[in-house]
């Protein structure tokens, strides 16, 4: 990209006075590369993970869990005469989800399957292939995460950019950020140089809590890994519990991505995208008061 | 607003078409070819990593009686469908013999009573199905390593193949017969046993009577039931699909440690 460092002119199409616009270096090469590799890995992990989940779409808590045991969450189906009804059950709550969850079209006819063909890899039922995709991208995610964490610690990225500054942690400041987010008012000028506190806290939650939890609960489902690290199943309350946490944490990651992408779009899609591709982020010095 | 509607419809079909196209290309990639071959390489990395972390003798966690599953789900074949098995069962497996052959010095033909005379090992372990469910059961049997020692391995022995009485898929060429294989590291692992007892009783038919394999650091499909013959080999490429097991021939990894 050949964006000039001083790009005052191209920002002034709809404002009479063009605010001065400077491009700052926002993301290092390692952060950009690991970010997009992460996007790739998580996408394939999610879709192949749903294929694996389809093989046994029930979640348990405890040391064991199979068909005869109590499942606290289930995507299933029941036959009503000739027609199949799909449902999702969470605890005592049961919703009819025919057409999407439990029962959906496969090759044109309603088929009993938890997640529909358009959201699983492969689209058709193939647990073996789903596992191959899953473990391939799991390894890739693991190495990618190591590089990201190593870089973040050694180069001070976490301390400098992700750890909230003291002034950002006061209740008043946090409350103002929540209100600003709700009104879709985003930082400008000097304040846009750093992440806001909500950003920092959610990025830290993803990088240091959710993703490590995904890896650890994933490993706990492996009987081979459990033999090597016998404390793992105990840490999560059993393999079925680890599997449930794996599913819930994946759902939280999906929720994060939805909010993250929405914020990227609302706070300046091209500027944000450019910063994650070329590393450069535009800051305008316009007056922030309305 | 028809314009808005048609625009929205266009965008939606674009998005749906795009994702369908992306998933369809994943389907194509999943069906053989070099990308699928790359995905299959992961298994070697997993095997090496797990073996390095485990060492030879790391044990699978053993549970207590209080942890036993109230109902242990029976999976795969529940009753082998053959006259041979029916007559063995009728006779309470008095005529059943476990054959041990292949790359061994002294081929064996061992009765159930003879197996029970070896020092037994009892273990309460977790059975992890590839599908995602788990059940805890108590197994009693003879360590496979003892049987292999009695037979004596010949040089070149690398794998132990388990031939089963059940046909999980009815085929004309017999390729639907269940079989499994493990390497010598797992074969000599202290928790790898040939189990004739489950939860304090004789092994039930639904769980593989009279004898099944327990290889506790791997998934359920490795735990071959209805054992008839143990064959020591240098390669399993010649059996059925050549991948070392019934499910392996149908796409599962040979190494079921994950």
């Amino acid at each position: 990209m050949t964006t000039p460092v001083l790009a005052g002119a191209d920002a002034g199409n709809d404002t009479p006075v063009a605010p001065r616009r400077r491009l700052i270096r926002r993301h290092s090469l390692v952060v950009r590369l690991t970010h997009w590799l992460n996007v790739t890995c998580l996408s394939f992990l999610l879709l192949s993970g749903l294929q694996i989940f389809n093989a046994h779409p029930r979640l348990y808590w405890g040391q064991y869990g199979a068909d005869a045991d109590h499942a606290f969450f289930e995507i299933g189906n029941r036959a009503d005469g000739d027609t199949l009804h799909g449902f999702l059950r969470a605890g005592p709550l049961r919703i009819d989800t025919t057409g999407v969850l439990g029962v959906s079209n496969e090759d044109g006819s309603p088929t009993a399957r938890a997640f529909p063909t358009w959201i699983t890899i492969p689209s058709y039922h193939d647990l073996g292939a789903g596992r191959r995709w899953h473990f391939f991208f799991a390894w890739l995610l693991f190495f990618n995460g190591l590089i990201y964490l190593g870089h973040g610690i050694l180069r001070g990225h976490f301390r400098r950019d992700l750890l909230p500054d003291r002034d950002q942690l006061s209740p008043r400041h946090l409350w103002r950020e929540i209100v600003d987010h709700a009104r879709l008012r985003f930082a400008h000028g000097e304040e846009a140089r750093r992440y806001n506190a909500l950003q920092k806290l959610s990025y830290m939650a993803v990088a240091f809590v959710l993703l490590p939890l995904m890896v650890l609960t994933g490993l706990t489902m492996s009987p081979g890994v459990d033999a090597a690290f016998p404390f793992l199943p105990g840490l999560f309350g059993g393999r079925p519990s680890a599997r449930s946490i794996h599913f819930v944490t994946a759902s939280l990651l999906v929720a994060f991505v939805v909010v993250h992408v929405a914020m990227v779009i609302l706070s300046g899609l091209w500027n944000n995208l450019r910063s994650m591709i070329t590393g450069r982020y535009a800051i305008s010095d316009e007056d922030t008061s309305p | 607003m028809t314009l808005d509607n048609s625009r929205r419809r266009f965008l939606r079909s674009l998005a749906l078409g795009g994702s369908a196209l992306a998933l369809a290309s994943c389907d194509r990639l999943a069906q053989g070819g070099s990308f699928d071959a790359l995905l299959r390489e992961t298994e070697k990395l997993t095997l090496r990593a797990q073996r390095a972390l485990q060492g030879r003798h790391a044990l699978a966690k053993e549970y207590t009686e209080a942890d036993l599953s109230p109902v242990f789900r029976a999976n795969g074949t529940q009753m082998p469908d053959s006259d041979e098995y029916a007559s063995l069962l009728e006779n309470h497996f008095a005529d059943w013999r476990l054959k041990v052959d292949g790359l061994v010095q002294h081929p064996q033909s061992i009765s159930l009573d003879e197996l029970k005379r070896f020092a037994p090992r009892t273990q309460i372990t977790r059975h992890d199905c590839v599908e995602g469910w788990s059940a805890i059961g108590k197994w009693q049997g003879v360590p496979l390593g003892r049987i292999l020692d009695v037979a004596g391995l010949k040089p070149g022995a690398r794998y132990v193949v388990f031939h089963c009485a059940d046909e999980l898929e009815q085929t004309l060429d017999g390729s639907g017969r269940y079989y499994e294989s493990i390497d010598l590291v797992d074969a000599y692992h202290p928790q790898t046993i040939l189990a004739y007892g489950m939860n304090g009783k004789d092994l039930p038919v639904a769980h593989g009577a009279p004898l099944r394999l327990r290889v506790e650091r791997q998934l359920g499909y490795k735990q071959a039931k209805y054992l008839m013959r143990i064959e020591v080999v240098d390669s399993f490429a010649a059996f059925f699909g050549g991948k070392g097991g019934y499910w392996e021939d149908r796409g599962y990894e040979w190494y079921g440690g994950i």
Side-chain angles (χ1 to χ4, degrees), chain B:
Chain B
M1 300 290 270
T2 46
L3 189 72
D4 218 40
N5 267 337
S6 66
R7 197 179 117 126
R8 201 174 298 151
R9 252 204 311 276
F10 171 73
L11 285 176
R12 201 174 55 196
S13 52
L14 200 70
L16 281 178
S19 75
L21 203 68
L23 284 178
S25 43
C26 288
D27 284 357
R28 259 202 309 284
L29 286 174
Q31 288 160 349
S34 55
F35 188 72
D36 192 51
L38 175 67
L39 293 184
R40 283 173 196 273
E41 287 298 301
T42 311
E43 181 185 349
K44 292 177 196 159
L45 184 59
T46 303
L47 171 61
R48 274 194 213 119
Q50 292 206 354
R51 285 280 164 84
L53 292 169
Q54 287 169 342
R56 270 178 183 261
H57 295 304
L59 296 181
K61 180 181 165 67
E62 295 196 11
Y63 296 80
T64 66
E65 302 263 351
D67 301 316
L68 288 174
S69 287
V71 178
F72 195 109
R73 172 175 162 174
N75 208 42
T77 304
Q78 323 260 322
M79 167 65 85
D81 181 23
S82 73
D83 294 342
E84 187 195 4
Y85 186 82
S87 65
L88 287 172
L89 174 61
E90 203 173 48
N91 229 340
H92 304 290
F93 301 108
D95 308 322
W96 173 90
R97 294 287 183 278
L98 178 70
K99 288 188 190 63
V100 183
D101 56 12
L103 292 175
V104 294
Q105 317 274 5
H106 319 287
Q108 305 286 316
S109 179
I110 313 173
S111 73
L112 204 49
D113 282 341
E114 286 166 337
L115 274 177
K116 288 179 178 172
R117 281 202 283 273
F118 285 95
R121 182 185 161 89
T122 303
Q123 58 204 31
I124 300 178
T125 52
R126 198 186 65 219
H127 177 98
D128 295 332
C129 180
V130 65
E131 294 177 339
W133 53 270
S134 303
I136 296 177
K138 182 162 105 173
W139 308 101
Q140 188 176 37
V142 48
L144 174 61
R146 285 290 294 126
I147 304 297
L148 295 180
D149 283 345
V150 168
L153 297 188
K154 277 187 179 168
R158 287 190 64 196
Y159 302 100
V160 182
V161 176
F162 302 87
H163 298 278
C164 306
D166 60 320
E167 242 181 325
L168 199 45
E169 189 186 321
Q170 302 292 333
T171 58
L172 289 175
D173 62 352
S175 65
R177 186 162 292 271
Y178 208 90
Y179 77 108
E180 259 303 339
S181 61
I182 58 177
D183 64 12
L184 293 184
V185 172
D186 271 322
Y188 278 98
H189 185 261
Q191 284 172 323
T192 299
I193 61 172
L194 303 172
Y196 44 72
M198 177 188 185
N199 291 346
K201 302 195 181 90
D202 282 347
L203 188 65
V205 169
H207 290 286
L211 195 70
R212 81 176 299 176
L213 174 67
R214 296 300 311 171
V215 44
E216 302 291 359
R217 300 188 296 185
Q218 298 204 45
L219 294 173
Y221 63 86
K222 300 298 286 188
Q223 328 289 332
K225 309 198 286 189
Y226 314 108
L227 298 183
M228 300 297 285
R229 176 176 168 218
I230 291 177
E231 189 178 0
V232 179
V233 297
D234 58 352
S235 157
F236 45 73
F239 298 98
F240 303 111
K243 300 274 172 50
Y246 174 90
W247 282 113
E248 288 84 335
D249 288 339
R250 287 157 182 79
Y252 289 171
E253 295 93 345
W254 174 78
Y255 179 64
I258 184 168

